[in-house]
Amino acid sequence: MRVSFIGLGSMGLPMAQNLLKAGHELVVYNRTRSRSDELGRNGARVAGSPREAGQGADLLITMLADDAAVEEVMFGSDGALASLKPGAVHVSMSTISHLLSRRLTDEHRSRRQSYVAAPVFGRPEAAEAAKLWIIAAGPGDAIERCGLVFDAMGQGVEIVGDDPPMANVLKLAGNFLLVSAIEAMGEAFALVQKSGIEPARFLEIVNGRLIRSPIYENYGKLIAERRWEPAGFKLRHGLKDVRLVLSAAEEVTAPMPLASLIRDHYLSAMARGWGEIDWAALARVVEENAGMDSLGSRV
């Protein structure tokens, strides 16, 4: 089975590397050619455009930053959609809107192709270790065809239905839970620190005795240490995801007031020029709102 992979960012590059390690025949494309060349030296064939990447592919994987990037590589003037053959499967592993996922479902169906939405939970280090959790939705036979590829990139697959947008909504809801935890930790850390308690000690107690969550442990350490760089997931992408959550909620009339608050905090962070640092820096906005400076001291 010939696999094509489009999008070699901080997540896509290690995912594609794991496909090569697993022995898959791989064609890659990335807008920044140098990242493709790195894989080319290890046995992948480098395509010059999304259209070329799609030609002859049995399975096309896209791992891109947002809706606009996916639309460009699939529907653009040199996009992959037109070159995919009937019977091919497109697997979108990006965090995109349920609306774009619905459009992709319809477009592929009209061309006698299959579409699987398979967004992932995990940061770049999980991608490198092939420890991603993959959330898949789409036709059962198409998901089955993806089995060996998923095995090479992740530690498990959760199938949530045969309608691809279901996977996208679940992924967005999961990211909302993550960012809600970051918001909560930011507020709690500001409270204890202004009361003279070290955030690291607070985290040690509550995560060791009360919560016992890897999410609180991992993000709590980032916040306690103010380790915003290098970004495992950029803050501007966090804002994008919260906006997508609110869009999905509006469609089904599900009020999400906390998501609205978090969106506003992310907008404040963007106004401060923090778009390229880790999305855990949401807590930094909370600190500044509590009258603390970037080092956690009282202003």
Side-chain angles (χ1 to χ4, degrees):
M1 181 169 65
R2 177 180 152 183
V3 180
S4 291
F5 199 109
I6 297 178
L8 302 173
S10 60
M11 293 290 290
L13 181 59
M15 292 165 69
Q17 287 171 330
N18 284 328
L19 291 177
L20 273 179
K21 290 176 185 176
H24 291 283
E25 178 187 355
L26 192 65
V27 177
V28 296
Y29 170 77
N30 193 67
R31 185 173 58 181
T32 303
R33 175 78 183 219
S34 59
R35 296 181 75 83
S36 299
D37 290 340
E38 180 177 341
L39 289 170
R41 289 189 290 271
N42 293 322
R45 184 167 75 79
V46 178
S49 68
R51 180 185 291 270
E52 183 182 340
Q55 290 172 352
D58 299 303
L59 185 67
L60 171 68
I61 299 172
T62 52
M63 187 60 177
L64 297 154
D66 52 29
D67 282 27
V70 174
E71 288 173 343
E72 177 62 26
V73 302
M74 295 306 298
F75 302 114
S77 59
D78 209 12
L81 184 65
S83 64
L84 275 181
K85 63 186 179 182
V89 180
H90 172 205
V91 184
S92 172
M93 305 190 79
S94 312
T95 302
I96 59 173
S97 71
H98 67 296
L99 298 175
L100 177 55
S101 191
R102 190 174 298 151
R103 179 185 176 192
L104 286 164
T105 301
D106 293 341
E107 289 282 352
H108 284 298
R109 184 184 296 122
S110 72
R111 296 170 183 267
R112 294 183 292 119
Q113 302 156 353
S114 295
Y115 173 67
V116 174
V120 301
F121 286 117
R123 288 166 69 89
E125 53 268 28
E128 291 172 10
K131 294 296 184 183
L132 298 169
W133 285 105
I134 300 168
I135 310 301
D141 59 337
I143 293 175
E144 187 175 351
R145 288 175 62 187
C146 299
L148 292 176
V149 167
F150 287 162
D151 289 345
M153 295 186 290
Q155 61 179 311
V157 180
E158 295 290 343
I159 300 173
V160 297
D162 57 9
D163 185 27
M166 295 174 68
N168 302 104
V169 172
L170 192 150
K171 165 62 174 173
L172 291 171
N175 276 14
F176 167 69
L177 290 178
L178 292 176
V179 76
S180 297
I182 294 170
E183 170 75 24
M185 283 187 282
E187 294 183 19
F189 283 18
L191 168 63
V192 298
Q193 189 160 355
K194 292 190 77 173
S195 302
I197 302 167
E198 284 296 321
R201 178 58 175 151
F202 170 68
L203 178 64
E204 177 185 12
I205 293 170
V206 296
N207 200 52
R209 304 289 182 266
L210 177 64
I211 298 171
R212 293 187 180 274
S213 164
I215 300 304
Y216 274 74
E217 178 180 357
N218 295 334
Y219 282 105
K221 285 181 179 178
L222 292 180
I223 297 168
E225 298 171 7
R226 293 174 181 79
R227 189 157 27 99
W228 317 128
E229 296 178 283
F233 185 67
K234 293 181 180 179
L235 189 145
R236 59 185 172 88
H237 297 321
L239 173 59
K240 178 263 295 184
D241 286 359
V242 175
R243 284 171 165 162
L244 294 182
V245 166
L246 288 167
S247 174
E250 183 173 351
E251 182 168 296
V252 296
T253 323
M256 297 185 74
L258 181 55
S260 296
L261 171 68
I262 291 170
R263 176 200 56 204
D264 290 347
H265 281 175
Y266 271 140
L267 284 172
S268 295
M270 292 294 293
R272 291 171 166 87
W274 298 346
E276 298 302 307
I277 63 177
D278 199 275
W279 74 326
L282 172 69
R284 189 174 171 187
V285 178
V286 176
E287 286 181 349
E288 292 199 0
N289 289 344
M292 301 166 67
D293 63 20
S294 61
L295 298 176
S297 304
R298 299 184 188 186
V299 176

